[in-house]
């Protein structure tokens, strides 16, 4: 244990980043396949990083309930900053 780095998960790090760099009141929703992320986001030590967690199945249900067909939406360019190696 003393040799382990004290770092947060990628989900928590990506939740913290826009709140620190763009808008501290930003609402962050993590969407991914891992159900365990739901319990991670309730952890009191990092509970302010992410505001909601959805699985892909839950996202699919929401899109179906709202009758949103992704194939019919206009394509958008990814907003900066792009991820890259330096």
């Amino acid at each position: 244990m003393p040799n382990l780095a004290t770092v947060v998960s990628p989900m928590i790090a990506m939740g913290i980043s826009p709140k620190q760099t763009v808008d501290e009141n930003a609402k962050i929703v993590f969407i991914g396949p891992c159900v365990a992320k739901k319990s991670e986001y309730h952890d009191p030590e990092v509970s302010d990083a992410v505001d909601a967690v959805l699985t892909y199945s839950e996202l699919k249900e929401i899109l179906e309930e709202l009758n949103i067909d992704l194939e019919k939406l206009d394509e958008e360019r990814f907003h900066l900053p792009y991820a890259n190696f330096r």
Side-chain angles (χ1 to χ4, degrees), residues 7-9 21-22 38 40 42 53 66-67 69-70 80 85:
V7 296
V8 296
S9 73
T21 60
V22 179
K38 288 186 173 282
E40 179 183 2
H42 285 294
V53 174
L66 297 174
N67 293 315
D69 183 350
L70 297 179
L80 295 176
F85 293 104

Side-chain angles (χ1 to χ4, degrees), residues 20 27 32:
Q20 289 179 344
K27 298 299 180 194

